[in-house]
Amino acid sequence: MYFVIFLLIGLVLCYLIPFGPIVAGGIIFALVVDQYRQTIHMREDIRDIKNHLGLMNKGEAQEYELDKQFKDVDRLSSEEMDSINRKIEAELEKDNKNNKP
């Protein structure tokens, strides 16, 4: 319904205003981007529900956990990242010492 209304507004803008097609194109682009964003959020919500109900197969569950961990890393503060980096560096140094002949 909204799409039809915006389409009519866009056609009127194209007819009455010299730069109407540019404005109408901007409106259409904004609508497409908004619809895409809503679709992405719905897909994430569906994945959360499927995981909660245990309806995912093994591959989907692993992919979901990896995506969740990746998003959690993006939300860490710099202090938490520094501590994680120090732990990883310590483990790598320990592995290097154990692997040397």
Side-chain angles (χ1 to χ4, degrees), residues 43-53 56 64:
R43 290 185 68 159
E44 289 175 0
D45 292 341
I46 290 170
R47 285 179 65 191
D48 290 339
I49 292 168
K50 281 177 70 175
N51 184 52
H52 180 72
L53 295 175
M56 289 185 168
Y64 175 79

Side-chain angles (χ1 to χ4, degrees), residues 73 76-90:
V73 168
L76 292 177
S77 68
S78 61
E79 297 163 354
E80 293 171 325
M81 287 295 290
D82 289 339
S83 68
I84 291 171
N85 286 337
R86 278 186 251 122
K87 289 177 186 176
I88 292 171
E89 288 173 358

Side-chain angles (χ1 to χ4, degrees), residues 29-60:
F29 180 74
L31 287 172
V32 169
V33 168
D34 184 53
Q35 186 66 34
Y36 177 75
R37 185 184 53 80
Q38 288 178 357
T39 303
I40 293 297
H41 288 296
M42 284 190 302
R43 290 185 68 159
E44 289 175 0
D45 292 341
I46 290 170
R47 285 179 65 191
D48 290 339
I49 292 168
K50 281 177 70 175
N51 184 52
H52 180 72
L53 295 175
L55 299 174
M56 289 185 168
N57 62 27
K58 187 175 182 179
E60 288 177 330

Side-chain angles (χ1 to χ4, degrees), residues 6-28:
F6 285 122
L7 182 64
L8 291 173
I9 292 171
L11 288 173
V12 170
L13 287 174
C14 290
Y15 183 71
L16 296 177
I17 301 174
F19 295 107
I22 295 172
V23 173
I27 291 170
I28 291 171

